[in-house]
Amino acid sequence: MNTFWKDLASRWPISTLAPMDGYCDSPYRQIVKKIAPETVVFSEFYSADGIVHSKELQRKALTHHSSEYPLIIQIFWKDPAMFAEAAKIIEWYGITGIDINMWCPAKKVVKSGHGSSLMINRDTAFKIVEEMAKAVKIPVSVKTRLGWENHSLLTEFVQGLENAGASLISVHGRTYKQAFTGRADLTGIYELKQHVNIPVICNGDVMSYEDGLKKIIHPEGLKNLDGFMIGRASFGNPWCFLPGNYEPTLGEILDVMKEHGDLLWTCKERKWMMEARKHLVQYLHGFPGVKEYRSSLVHVESPVDIYKVLEQIKRDHKDLISQKISSYNAESQMVTWGDCAVD
Ligand SMILES: Cc1cc2nc3c(=O)[nH]c(=O)nc-3n(C[C@H](O)[C@H](O)[C@H](O)COP(=O)(O)O)c2cc1C
């Protein structure tokens, strides 16, 4: 079996950017890697069927920059043969690993037998992993939840995935029924870690590298988890992947906003504007005068428009340019679940 994840786990901890639809595109992954190069970045999810049948989707989803390595592409579907075909294409593009979405609780996804529903269609889930692991040499991992209603079957499920050839499991500390409510609970994930040999990563409400580190250490001294995933807390705050609770200066934030805007312009062509607006407004959480700048940012039409807003901020806050902005990491600023909400 490919030892990529085990090798990484031996250099504990594994810190990862969670897969997020509408966010984890190549420009965002490049920004995260530039700031925190040790991070393993996951992509948005793509349908295996789309990867197999659409050259356009292949180009959009699988074209990447070498700075993104190790890069994991996430796919969803329900048919093992389609997964295996998609896996071969992903491998051909030089991607580091493939992750299977057994996580998404959106009604339309579950109704069609994809995402979270694979937690209850276990034989299909195992077959998918088996076929993919046979089809490619790169590692195949799975992202899932605690379970359908509780975590009583999590260990058995993951043991089945491990036997089928999965080489990493990431678990979001909420059940399907909880969807996006309540707090992420890691109890079941610590339990799972005692019973499997593949690395185990936790996910849900992790605010920063330091917070992740605290969460993966077992409270009673049993085996620690191998790593953590950070999702929403990274929006507009890619510094959250750095050890030591790093706080960027205003100057650093503005430079990264410019770079992020430029990358989106280069990679995304016509879809650029919506993407740039969505990402850039996130960088100014809790900043004085934020409303005015945000309303300018949501109207940008070109990189020049972005540069104008950034220059305005610099002029208005000359005295703050080299000051650290400590308003990050406030949980109240976490965005809502957006695209993956149960509908
Ligand atoms: C906008 C958005 C899109 C998401 N898309 C995906 C996805 O494509 N695949 C996936 O496995 N999880 C997806 N997730 C879930 C995240 O990977 C993660 O499990 C969840 O946000 C909890 O982590 P957090 O509390 O650190 O945000 C998405 C979450 C958000 C907020």
Side-chain angles (χ1 to χ4, degrees):
M1 189 199 285
N2 186 300
T3 60
F4 168 78
W5 286 111
K6 280 207 167 142
D7 294 346
L8 215 57
S10 69
R11 304 198 298 272
W12 189 88
I14 305 175
S15 166
T16 69
L17 167 68
M20 286 182 290
D21 187 35
Y23 283 87
C24 297
D25 51 13
S26 176
Y28 191 47
R29 298 185 311 242
Q30 289 184 53
I31 290 289
V32 168
K33 290 293 287 186
K34 181 160 186 197
I35 290 171
E38 300 298 316
T39 314
V40 179
V41 290
F42 281 62
S43 72
E44 322 177 64
F45 70 163
Y46 301 103
S47 90
D49 177 63
I51 295 284
V52 170
H53 293 113
S54 161
K55 289 269 179 229
E56 175 54 21
L57 184 67
Q58 282 178 23
R59 188 187 64 78
K60 176 175 165 258
L62 306 178
T63 306
H64 59 279
H65 187 264
S66 58
S67 65
E68 293 174 51
Y69 292 128
L71 167 61
I72 312 300
I73 295 289
Q74 191 189 66
I75 51 177
F76 75 95
W77 203 248
K78 63 176 172 187
D79 168 21
M82 192 67 80
F83 266 107
E85 277 314 298
K88 285 185 209 157
I89 296 168
I90 293 170
E91 181 175 56
W92 186 85
Y93 268 81
I95 306 294
T96 315
I98 310 172
D99 191 61
I100 306 168
N101 184 318
M102 301 194 187
W103 173 89
C104 191
K107 275 198 184 120
K108 61 174 187 277
V109 171
V110 169
K111 233 174 150 181
S112 8
H114 309 133
S116 277
S117 74
L118 290 167
M119 294 190 302
I120 45 177
N121 297 324
R122 294 167 159 233
D123 289 342
T124 308
F126 301 153
K127 188 80 183 146
I128 287 169
V129 173
E130 197 183 311
E131 291 297 317
M132 285 174 70
K134 266 197 283 183
V136 292
K137 294 195 174 62
I138 56 177
V140 173
S141 57
V142 174
K143 176 163 179 272
T144 189
R145 290 176 166 260
L146 290 177
W148 199 252
E149 287 186 46
N150 55 51
H151 70 253
S152 60
L153 298 175
L154 179 65
T155 296
E156 204 184 300
F157 180 50
V158 176
Q159 283 171 335
L161 295 171
E162 179 177 8
N163 290 338
S167 54
L168 169 90
I169 182 90
S170 348
V171 186
H172 178 188
R174 289 182 176 86
T175 60
Y176 164 77
K177 287 273 160 133
Q178 273 179 299
F180 306 102
T181 59
R183 304 283 309 165
D185 177 7
L186 305 187
T187 322
I189 311 177
Y190 295 128
E191 252 171 64
L192 165 71
K193 175 67 192 163
Q194 314 305 314
H195 301 289
V196 291
N197 296 310
I198 51 174
V200 176
I201 283 185
C202 71
N203 166 240
D205 308 334
V206 178
M207 299 303 299
S208 63
Y209 184 98
E210 295 298 331
D211 184 38
L213 210 51
K214 263 192 246 151
K215 287 181 170 153
I216 63 177
I217 296 177
H218 193 284
E220 282 146 30
L222 293 177
K223 267 190 192 170
N224 297 327
L225 304 180
D226 298 281
F228 49 85
M229 270 182 168
I230 307 179
R232 292 164 298 152
S234 72
F235 295 160
N237 184 17
W239 296 273
C240 73
F241 292 101
L242 289 174
N245 292 318
Y246 186 85
E247 286 173 359
T249 62
L250 177 61
E252 283 173 287
I253 295 173
L254 298 179
D255 287 349
V256 167
M257 286 173 76
K258 177 179 179 299
E259 191 167 351
H260 199 162
D262 287 345
L263 278 169
L264 283 161
W265 180 252
T266 315
C267 300
K268 290 279 193 144
E269 300 145 16
R270 276 188 305 140
K271 254 192 84 193
W272 171 85
M273 276 178 300
M274 297 306 288
E275 299 287 333
R277 293 167 183 174
K278 181 175 69 185
H279 279 282
L280 296 182
V281 293
Q282 310 263 5
Y283 282 93
L284 297 174
H285 281 313
F287 192 70
V290 64
K291 270 198 181 145
E292 185 199 331
Y293 306 131
R294 278 195 177 166
S295 53
S296 306
L297 284 171
V298 295
H299 291 107
V300 292
E301 300 280 347
S302 70
V304 174
D305 292 344
I306 296 182
Y307 305 158
K308 281 187 196 152
V309 183
L310 299 181
E311 283 308 316
Q312 178 72 43
I313 300 176
K314 276 186 194 160
R315 272 197 304 277
D316 294 348
H317 298 285
K318 274 194 216 88
D319 49 328
L320 293 182
I321 289 295
S322 50
Q323 255 187 44
K324 291 193 171 291
I325 304 292
S326 55
S327 60
Y328 284 115
N329 298 340
E331 206 154 336
S332 59
Q333 288 164 3
M334 287 255 258
V335 299
T336 48
W337 295 91
D339 298 350
C340 255
V342 183
D343 45 8

